[in-house]
Amino acid sequence: MSQLKEMNNFLERVKRLFNVEDQERIVEALNYAKLKHSTQQRESGEPYIIHPIAVAEILLDYGTDANTIIAALLHDVLEDTDTKISELKTLFGNDVSEIVNGVSRVKTLRYKSNENENSESLRKMFIAMAKDIRVIMVKLADRLNNMRTLDNMSGEHKVRKSLDTRDVYIPIAERLGFGSIKGELEDLCFKYLYPKEEQEISALLEHTLKRHSGDLENVNLELKKMLTELKIEGDVKSRIKRKYSVYKKSQAKGLESIYDLLAHRVLVNSVKDCYYVLGEIHNRWKPVPGRIKDYIAAPKKNGYQSLHTTLLTEEGMPFEVQIRTKEMH
């Protein structure tokens, strides 16, 4: 995607999400970052500004405030250009300059197994240095974009970055509840650390999707129709299980024991609706015994809440449905 198209897509989203005053501040930060990185390029040969825009785009998905988006656009200017923190403070305020400074300080941490600096102590340092949760959010988005663009790097660099990501960033993403970032980082590490196994799982999922894409769509439509009939406001999304998650489960239980290669997520407005929808789903499809999990009544350690149930279509195809409120999601 060209630099101009990247910027236009980003600015269109900003217009939809922020008021006029915040839009103007974000555009100012974008132009400032463009100027500061004007002579720099990524390993791919693309203009460097593509990277901070991509980091800011990732954070737009999490409904972050304008200052976090501005900090994402500026997150490399202290380390990679001649910018001084006093200049950032004058132009964009203390809040933004503190986030950017926090991200720059976190960048000095590296995984050094040969110096007995284990991943747990590194994680503690990472969190201790980040007095503001937004520092961690920017850093996770920064790492995600860097992992997405590793293909132009050497094999050794890919492995080193993947080990660093696996041992430091993924546990933090999990601990803080950034499930989609955690899942994508796991898949990317899997790709570079276990390429043979990743290709095998990719082939399996491609075959599964090709064989059952119609079933996936039919269940999706039936769930939406069910919500309409019940007069419950909600959203339904479908997905095929992530590669690394399939690999991990297959190592522990075998592929034949994986029931949630295909899954649907139902988002509703209240806990009452969650249980009502669960009961109705069990009326319409046959549930698999022992595969109903209530993480609403008993949340996971990181605060994750949802109802999970595995069901069978009339043809005997297993699929999972996750039900939770939009707030839980």
Side-chain angles (χ1 to χ4, degrees), residues 51-241:
H51 170 64
I53 290 173
V55 172
E57 279 263 19
I58 291 167
L59 292 172
L60 285 178
D61 293 335
Y62 283 88
T64 50
D65 65 352
N67 281 351
T68 309
I69 301 304
I70 291 167
L73 291 168
L74 303 172
H75 77 273
D76 277 331
V77 296
L78 288 181
E79 186 172 1
D80 295 343
T81 75
D82 60 358
T83 305
K84 299 289 188 291
I85 191 168
S86 56
E87 185 179 346
L88 280 188
K89 197 175 293 187
T90 300
L91 290 172
F92 302 102
N94 189 64
D95 197 37
V96 168
S97 64
E98 285 300 315
I99 298 171
V100 176
N101 190 41
V103 173
S104 296
R105 289 169 62 205
V106 166
K107 275 195 169 186
T108 63
L109 295 174
R110 293 292 183 270
Y111 180 69
K112 300 175 182 176
S113 58
N114 60 333
E115 296 178 17
N116 296 317
E117 189 173 347
N118 64 42
S119 59
E120 182 57 34
S121 66
L122 191 51
R123 286 198 294 273
K124 286 177 181 176
M125 288 172 65
F126 193 114
I127 292 171
M129 290 182 71
K131 297 176 183 176
D132 189 328
I133 187 66
R134 293 172 297 178
V135 173
I136 299 294
M137 293 177 74
V138 173
K139 193 57 204 152
L140 285 173
D142 171 55
R143 176 51 60 116
L144 177 55
N145 182 248
N146 281 332
M147 288 297 293
R148 284 174 175 174
T149 54
L150 266 188
D151 281 342
N152 296 299
M153 303 291 186
S154 68
E156 182 186 348
H157 187 87
K158 290 172 186 174
V159 169
R160 190 169 66 250
K161 278 280 187 186
S162 296
L163 288 171
D164 189 31
T165 300
R166 183 194 68 187
D167 294 334
V168 180
Y169 292 88
I170 288 173
I172 289 172
E174 181 174 27
R175 188 174 297 175
L176 298 179
F178 294 111
S180 60
I181 289 180
K182 168 187 172 278
E184 189 173 349
L185 286 176
E186 284 179 332
D187 278 357
L188 289 164
C189 289
F190 184 40
K191 174 182 175 182
Y192 296 117
L193 295 176
Y194 302 97
K196 180 175 176 289
E197 291 85 347
E198 193 267 350
Q199 287 171 11
E200 290 171 356
I201 297 295
S202 292
L204 167 70
L205 292 179
E206 187 179 340
H207 173 74
T208 301
L209 189 58
K210 189 180 292 184
R211 184 179 172 191
H212 293 294
S213 59
D215 298 309
L216 201 62
E217 181 60 25
N218 288 339
V219 173
N220 184 286
L221 291 172
E222 184 65 25
L223 286 168
K224 288 179 179 177
K225 182 182 172 186
M226 183 192 75
L227 290 179
T228 302
E229 290 171 357
L230 296 175
K231 296 181 180 177
I232 291 176
E233 185 183 332
D235 298 318
V236 179
K237 297 188 182 300
S238 303
R239 65 101 172 121
I240 190 160
K241 196 171 182 67

Side-chain angles (χ1 to χ4, degrees), residues 4 6 32 136 161 269:
L4 183 60
E6 286 270 8
Y32 183 84
I136 299 294
K161 278 280 187 186
N269 290 329

Side-chain angles (χ1 to χ4, degrees), residues 204 246 249-261 288 291 318:
L204 167 70
V246 173
K249 271 197 174 179
S250 71
Q251 293 298 103
K253 301 179 179 180
L255 278 172
E256 66 282 353
S257 300
I258 301 176
Y259 291 97
D260 59 342
L261 282 179
V288 176
R291 296 288 307 170

Side-chain angles (χ1 to χ4, degrees), residues 219-220 223-224 226-227 232-238 263-269 273-274 277-278 281 306-307 320-326 329:
V219 173
N220 184 286
L223 286 168
K224 288 179 179 177
M226 183 192 75
L227 290 179
I232 291 176
E233 185 183 332
D235 298 318
V236 179
K237 297 188 182 300
S238 303
H264 305 266
R265 180 180 298 135
V266 181
L267 302 179
V268 294
N269 290 329
D273 285 345
C274 289
V277 168
L278 178 67
I281 284 173
S306 188
L307 299 174
E320 183 181 75
V321 179
Q322 301 171 359
I323 312 158
R324 53 183 174 264
T325 66
K326 292 171 185 176
H329 185 60

